[in-house]
Amino acid sequence: MIDLVSELERITGTRDVVVGADLRARAASSMNVESHRAIALVRPQSTEELSEIMALCNKRGQAVVIQGGLTGLVDGALAGADELAISLERMNKIESVDAAGRTITAMAGATIQTVQRAASEHDLLFGVDWGARGSATIGGSISANAGGNAVLRYGMMREQVLGLEVVLADGTVMSMMNSLIKNNTGYDLKHLFIGSEGTLGIVTRAVLRLRPTPRSVQTALIAADDFSDVVALLGSLDAGLAGGLSAFEVMWQEHYEMIVKEGGHRRVLPDGYPYYVVIEATGSNAEADAVKFEAALGDAMEAKIIVDAALCSSTSQRQKVWKIREDVDTFMRVLDPPIPFDVSVPIRDMEEYVSKVYADMKSTFPRARGTVFGHLGDNNLHFCWTVGSNAPETVEAVSKVIYSKLTPYVGSVSAEHGIGLAKRKYLKYSRSCEEIEWMKRLKQVFDPDDLLNPGRIFDANCCE
Amino acid sequence: MIDLVSELERITGTRDVVVGADLRARAASSMNVESHRAIALVRPQSTEELSEIMALCNKRGQAVVIQGGLTGLVDGALAGADELAISLERMNKIESVDAAGRTITAMAGATIQTVQRAASEHDLLFGVDWGARGSATIGGSISANAGGNAVLRYGMMREQVLGLEVVLADGTVMSMMNSLIKNNTGYDLKHLFIGSEGTLGIVTRAVLRLRPTPRSVQTALIAADDFSDVVALLGSLDAGLAGGLSAFEVMWQEHYEMIVKEGGHRRVLPDGYPYYVVIEATGSNAEADAVKFEAALGDAMEAKIIVDAALCSSTSQRQKVWKIREDVDTFMRVLDPPIPFDVSVPIRDMEEYVSKVYADMKSTFPRARGTVFGHLGDNNLHFCWTVGSNAPETVEAVSKVIYSKLTPYVGSVSAEHGIGLAKRKYLKYSRSCEEIEWMKRLKQVFDPDDLLNPGRIFDANCCE
């Protein structure tokens, strides 16, 4: 049998099959400082080349791991020693922008930023954004159903995808390149591949929705005395701004105080309030939108659901507020070694859930210190804890405290990061055995030899 | 073998198994004046009863047809003589409203209107609406992925569904009752059941998103000289209203003129313009929103993309405009016998597609007369044609003209109505054989004995 590398070289040419020292010099993942362990890494330039590669792997029973920008946080793209890595970095073109239909067609390896820029050339916006925009790819973001900064306004990645092309485990190219908002003609197969972390097929191209570019932005930092007031504020602002609310980011008192003090930020509002919320609305008409925003905040003041507010009247004020909210470095440094979490809970249960986690963490780990903040409008909380160690068994013990408390509220162990290898053993806290059983059956139908990202999301032992 | 009716009666009691004259007295569907042809009709009161019914049908190899409000337009719920009808009319409760999380949990047989009313008791809105709101059910609307009046603003039914419970062909109850906006924990199985017209499982309960109730509405009828101006107007208004645009309904000249003349409507704008567009925006602040709306229309006037405009300053003016747009009776009466269509085409290809259809219709059918209007912002056009006959072979010949011209533009033979039995033979104009083959495989996995709505969407001969 001819060796795998020679066969791959025949498909892509030698330059796009990376092995040996070249391969070991590449990062294995964003989270991982080890060198690449894959058998080899191949970089197809087209759907056709990728199709040939998968036909070959299917024939040889060769497992593969699909790699985009390596910005995932759950080790989904971390290749094992017996796996072939397939990087889509050379399939990175924007194919077309349809300004009238407000869609963009991109290859899977294009970055979020590349798509954003191509859209902005037509005075349009791609509604997905987060810090890693320059590395994260369209294909990876679709496979992970990425979230980010604008979910409240535009939805997750799934909501942006109109059409998809995938390569299946046997090399078949499946085209579902729809560009229509409305198309009720049988099963909408693309949803199987969105959010399934590359385990059912390899995303190669997509048709994505674009939005009008906002022309105005209003930002404020407010303080509230009670969690119920925070919830009431969300409802009140969402109604008062008619869908224009684009951020509703809550920081619990100790989070705000720690960031401001340890991060050396200017206090936009004084310490001592139980909750701080960054509010932002985007619109189309600076004057009319300012009237609306101030009226909505005025209503909230009058209803006594907010106790203090700082409206940002300049870009620099706006940046100061966001720097507090986005200062990840400070809490990761103070809470050393940090154990971060990304969970979802229904808003009505959030306060109870958080206080149960705090109580249990403090009683289980005497040295525990944590903070909490999150995208409240999306049900999404981020915890960061430190307990004096981040040895695997400690991380597991902390994870069990955080995740097991989600089950009574039907919460999620992964709001936006996915499962990958890292959260596989916690999947059962959020999904029933019935559901996992059906995931396995679908995997069996689409990838009977378990070649695509094997073991990601679930393994054979899940729920057994 | 005990007969089916006795076994059903053992599950639901005799009152909820309808047979004989009682059954024949019931409507077979909204489209069909024939009497009910099913073996029997059973009305479970709970998921548990439905589960028992399906376990029984699975054992007996008994095919079933699921019925909601019978408002579908593609004969999807029309029972055959060898099928058991299952009506979800008794599973019609609203289970709960979570005002903080802005979700509602409803049983599948609840009507759209029941859900709307329950939401409005909490000053919230359910974002799906159309004429048949009093009959159409949540379960049917999810199975059909219904569209309606508010797609531009809130999306299709799929975008409203957070969680789902279904009963599978063998009676298994599969719960996916998520209520979270963000939940990336493995495959999002609910999307398989949304829009698959009851062929993979029976929707029994759902968690649906609610929205803030708009507090202001702005409406105008405008006229444009060119299709390119209509397209430019959509882009300009969507940007100028920052997502507040809730309707963009285009009427081609002959449609507007026919409706106004034959329907006896007041001319809101004079005859003679090539295009008329109903524009509506909803918001939260009547004063600020009026400023925005007038500024956005002013910009369009200045850019010369609109040539005439009537702003509605009262509810009665608003109703007059909508009465023209929604006057289905007039064109169905004038274009007698009518052959209606519901298609999608990319906006950039719409003008060319429409003129090709007109040219071909006029040359193929000497007596052809048609009109066209539609939800342009959603890519969705509605045609109505008359050619002097609506005999099945004539309808088929007209359908082939309309649908075959969609293929080069990757258009859709069904924007919002679905496929059912009525459009099955045209599925191939919108979906590839590859895609249809995968639909069949999924059907085989979920319903190996073809018991659930058999033959809807596709049959064994599709693409063979």
Side-chain angles (χ1 to χ4, degrees):
Chain A
M1 198 172 183
I2 307 166
D3 85 334
L4 177 66
V5 168
S6 311
E7 294 217 59
L8 290 170
E9 285 175 345
R10 215 186 291 170
I11 297 169
T12 63
T14 53
R15 212 187 61 170
D16 285 320
V17 182
V18 184
V19 291
D22 290 343
L23 179 60
R24 286 190 302 277
R26 291 175 68 111
S29 85
S30 69
M31 303 277 285
N32 203 294
V33 289
E34 296 169 50
S35 66
H36 224 294
R37 293 193 304 154
I39 300 172
L41 178 143
V42 62
R43 302 184 297 194
Q45 293 203 51
S46 64
T47 300
E48 293 65 34
E49 280 188 8
L50 179 58
S51 165
E52 279 187 67
I53 292 168
M54 284 314 305
L56 170 68
C57 290
N58 188 49
K59 201 181 68 191
R60 299 179 65 113
Q62 175 60 53
V64 303
V65 170
I66 323 304
Q67 301 191 329
L70 295 179
T71 59
L73 299 170
V74 292
D75 287 342
L78 189 64
D82 53 354
E83 293 172 336
L84 169 69
I86 301 179
S87 168
L88 299 197
E89 65 199 72
R90 294 177 72 88
M91 292 174 58
N92 61 358
K93 287 193 190 52
I94 302 296
E95 298 190 340
S96 63
V97 175
D98 175 356
R102 284 168 295 174
T103 62
I104 188 167
T105 303
M107 293 174 82
T111 65
I112 296 288
Q113 191 166 58
T114 304
V115 170
Q116 289 172 340
R117 286 184 179 159
S120 73
E121 280 170 28
H122 297 263
D123 194 24
L124 290 166
L125 176 89
F126 178 57
V128 168
D129 186 49
W130 70 92
R133 66 184 71 82
S135 315
T137 63
I138 290 300
S141 306
I142 291 172
S143 301
N145 186 28
N149 300 336
V151 174
L152 193 58
R153 186 67 191 268
Y154 303 113
M156 308 278 283
M157 194 70 186
R158 185 184 299 278
E159 278 80 50
Q160 323 308 320
V161 181
L162 292 174
L164 213 57
E165 180 189 79
V166 298
V167 169
L168 300 177
D170 65 358
T172 307
V173 179
M174 188 163 162
S175 175
M176 306 159 283
M177 290 292 275
N178 169 65
S179 68
L180 303 163
I181 306 287
K182 284 179 166 173
N183 186 358
N184 277 347
T185 50
Y187 307 169
D188 197 347
L189 301 167
K190 67 174 179 280
H191 288 289
L192 275 163
F193 303 97
I194 302 170
S196 57
E197 303 188 28
T199 60
L200 298 179
I202 307 171
V203 172
T204 48
R205 290 160 75 213
V207 184
L208 302 164
R209 291 185 77 164
L210 301 177
R211 320 280 173 164
T213 306
R215 295 172 184 168
S216 72
V217 56
Q218 318 286 332
T219 311
L221 180 69
I222 72 94
D225 273 343
D226 278 303
F227 191 79
S228 62
D229 290 340
V230 174
V231 174
L233 180 66
L234 175 63
S236 162
L237 288 181
D238 210 10
L241 299 169
L245 192 65
S246 54
F248 193 88
E249 303 286 310
V250 180
M251 293 174 278
W252 270 246
Q253 177 172 2
E254 59 194 307
H255 185 82
Y256 176 82
E257 292 178 358
M258 176 205 290
I259 296 290
V260 168
K261 184 175 165 215
E262 307 282 351
H265 296 271
R266 196 180 71 98
R267 269 176 182 69
V268 178
L269 288 178
D271 283 2
Y273 294 118
Y275 300 93
Y276 295 81
V277 189
V278 181
I279 293 159
E280 198 158 275
T282 55
S284 57
N285 182 316
E287 237 170 290
D289 292 330
V291 169
K292 255 173 121 152
F293 192 71
E294 284 165 35
L297 279 183
D299 288 349
M301 265 306 194
E302 211 164 293
K304 298 196 195 324
I305 53 180
I306 63 183
V307 290
D308 204 348
L311 263 81
C312 302
S313 57
S314 68
T315 304
S316 79
Q317 286 183 343
R318 188 178 163 250
Q319 285 167 347
K320 273 179 194 134
V321 166
W322 277 107
K323 271 190 184 147
I324 297 172
R325 165 60 186 83
E326 292 183 334
D327 186 353
V328 173
D329 291 346
T330 292
F331 71 75
M332 295 287 271
R333 175 171 51 78
V334 175
L335 302 173
D336 182 47
I339 312 178
F341 293 93
D342 162 51
V343 301
S344 271
V345 202
I347 292 171
R348 62 177 170 188
D349 304 316
M350 219 174 244
E351 189 184 17
E352 188 177 294
Y353 169 71
V354 169
S355 59
K356 284 193 176 168
V357 165
Y358 266 78
D360 206 359
M361 283 297 294
K362 304 264 179 183
S363 69
T364 314
F365 304 95
R367 296 174 56 193
R369 186 180 173 196
T371 70
V372 58
F373 62 97
H375 320 286
L376 189 108
D378 310 330
N379 322 106
N380 188 183
L381 290 179
H382 292 291
F383 280 112
C384 189
W385 285 95
T386 192
V387 296
S389 158
N390 63 352
E393 57 281 8
T394 310
V395 172
E396 189 168 336
V398 174
S399 299
K400 280 192 175 154
V401 171
I402 307 286
Y403 294 145
S404 64
K405 300 213 150 15
L406 288 167
T407 306
Y409 307 113
V410 201
S412 170
V413 301
S414 185
E416 53 185 8
H417 296 166
I419 300 296
L421 293 172
K423 292 191 179 183
R424 199 169 63 177
K425 66 172 74 157
Y426 310 113
L427 182 64
K428 63 176 187 277
Y429 291 114
S430 288
R431 303 294 295 269
S432 67
C433 285
E434 187 78 49
E435 289 177 285
I436 295 169
E437 212 38 68
W438 274 104
M439 291 183 209
K440 289 184 188 173
R441 274 192 229 183
L442 288 169
K443 173 72 171 169
Q444 176 68 26
V445 171
F446 281 89
D447 182 16
D449 296 326
D450 203 16
L451 302 181
L452 296 172
N453 286 1
R456 276 70 177 177
I457 303 180
F458 48 79
D459 62 11
N461 302 321
C462 252
C463 277
E464 266 166 21
Chain B
M1 198 171 185
I2 305 166
D3 85 334
L4 176 67
V5 169
S6 312
E7 294 217 60
L8 290 170
E9 283 175 345
R10 218 187 288 170
I11 297 169
T12 63
T14 53
R15 214 188 60 172
D16 285 320
V17 182
V18 185
V19 291
D22 290 343
L23 178 60
R24 286 190 303 275
R26 290 175 69 112
S29 84
S30 68
M31 302 280 284
N32 202 291
V33 290
E34 296 169 49
S35 65
H36 224 294
R37 293 193 303 155
I39 299 172
L41 178 143
V42 63
R43 302 183 297 195
Q45 293 202 51
S46 64
T47 300
E48 293 65 35
E49 280 188 8
L50 179 59
S51 165
E52 281 188 66
I53 292 167
M54 283 315 305
L56 170 68
C57 291
N58 188 50
K59 201 180 67 192
R60 298 180 65 114
Q62 175 59 54
V64 304
V65 170
I66 323 306
Q67 301 192 328
L70 295 179
T71 59
L73 298 170
V74 291
D75 286 342
L78 188 65
D82 53 353
E83 294 172 336
L84 170 69
I86 301 179
S87 168
L88 299 198
E89 65 199 71
R90 293 176 73 88
M91 292 174 58
N92 60 359
K93 287 191 190 53
I94 302 295
E95 298 189 340
S96 63
V97 175
D98 175 355
R102 285 168 294 175
T103 63
I104 188 166
T105 303
M107 293 173 83
T111 65
I112 296 288
Q113 190 166 59
T114 304
V115 171
Q116 289 172 340
R117 285 183 179 160
S120 73
E121 280 170 28
H122 297 262
D123 195 23
L124 291 166
L125 176 89
F126 178 56
V128 168
D129 185 48
W130 69 92
R133 65 185 71 83
S135 314
T137 64
I138 291 299
S141 305
I142 291 173
S143 302
N145 186 27
N149 299 337
V151 173
L152 193 58
R153 186 66 191 268
Y154 303 113
M156 308 278 283
M157 194 72 187
R158 184 183 299 277
E159 278 80 49
Q160 324 308 319
V161 181
L162 292 173
L164 212 58
E165 179 189 79
V166 297
V167 170
L168 300 177
D170 65 356
T172 307
V173 180
M174 187 164 163
S175 175
M176 305 160 282
M177 290 293 274
N178 168 68
S179 68
L180 303 164
I181 307 286
K182 283 179 169 176
N183 187 357
N184 277 348
T185 51
Y187 308 169
D188 197 346
L189 300 168
K190 66 174 178 280
H191 288 289
L192 275 164
F193 302 98
I194 302 170
S196 57
E197 303 187 28
T199 60
L200 298 178
I202 306 171
V203 172
T204 49
R205 290 160 76 213
V207 184
L208 302 165
R209 293 185 77 164
L210 301 176
R211 321 279 173 164
T213 305
R215 295 171 183 168
S216 72
V217 57
Q218 317 286 332
T219 310
L221 180 68
I222 72 94
D225 272 343
D226 277 304
F227 192 79
S228 62
D229 290 339
V230 173
V231 174
L233 180 66
L234 175 64
S236 162
L237 288 180
D238 210 11
L241 300 169
L245 191 65
S246 55
F248 193 87
E249 303 285 311
V250 180
M251 294 173 278
W252 270 246
Q253 176 172 1
E254 59 194 307
H255 186 81
Y256 177 82
E257 291 178 358
M258 177 206 289
I259 297 290
V260 168
K261 185 176 165 215
E262 306 282 351
H265 296 273
R266 195 181 70 98
R267 267 175 184 68
V268 178
L269 288 178
D271 283 2
Y273 294 119
Y275 300 94
Y276 296 81
V277 189
V278 180
I279 293 158
E280 197 158 274
T282 55
S284 58
N285 183 316
E287 236 170 291
D289 292 331
V291 169
K292 255 172 121 151
F293 192 71
E294 284 164 37
L297 280 183
D299 288 350
M301 264 307 193
E302 211 164 294
K304 298 197 193 328
I305 54 181
I306 62 183
V307 290
D308 204 348
L311 262 81
C312 303
S313 57
S314 69
T315 305
S316 79
Q317 285 182 343
R318 188 179 164 251
Q319 285 167 346
K320 272 178 196 136
V321 166
W322 276 106
K323 271 189 185 148
I324 296 173
R325 165 60 185 83
E326 291 183 334
D327 186 353
V328 173
D329 291 345
T330 293
F331 72 75
M332 295 287 270
R333 176 172 50 78
V334 175
L335 301 175
D336 184 46
I339 312 179
F341 293 93
D342 163 51
V343 301
S344 272
V345 202
I347 292 172
R348 62 178 170 188
D349 303 317
M350 220 175 242
E351 189 184 17
E352 186 177 296
Y353 169 71
V354 169
S355 59
K356 283 193 177 169
V357 165
Y358 266 79
D360 206 0
M361 283 298 295
K362 303 266 179 184
S363 70
T364 314
F365 303 95
R367 296 174 56 195
R369 186 179 174 197
T371 70
V372 57
F373 62 98
H375 320 286
L376 188 107
D378 311 329
N379 321 107
N380 188 183
L381 290 180
H382 292 291
F383 280 112
C384 189
W385 285 95
T386 193
V387 296
S389 158
N390 63 351
E393 59 282 6
T394 310
V395 172
E396 190 169 334
V398 174
S399 300
K400 281 192 174 155
V401 171
I402 307 287
Y403 294 144
S404 65
K405 300 213 150 16
L406 288 166
T407 306
Y409 308 113
V410 200
S412 170
V413 300
S414 186
E416 54 185 8
H417 296 165
I419 300 295
L421 294 171
K423 291 192 180 181
R424 200 168 63 179
K425 68 172 73 157
Y426 310 113
L427 182 63
K428 63 175 186 274
Y429 290 114
S430 289
R431 303 295 294 269
S432 67
C433 285
E434 187 78 49
E435 288 179 283
I436 296 170
E437 210 39 67
W438 274 103
M439 292 184 207
K440 289 185 187 174
R441 274 192 227 183
L442 288 169
K443 173 71 170 171
Q444 176 67 26
V445 171
F446 281 88
D447 182 15
D449 296 326
D450 203 17
L451 302 180
L452 297 172
N453 286 0
R456 278 70 177 176
I457 303 180
F458 48 79
D459 62 11
N461 302 320
C462 253
C463 277
E464 267 166 21

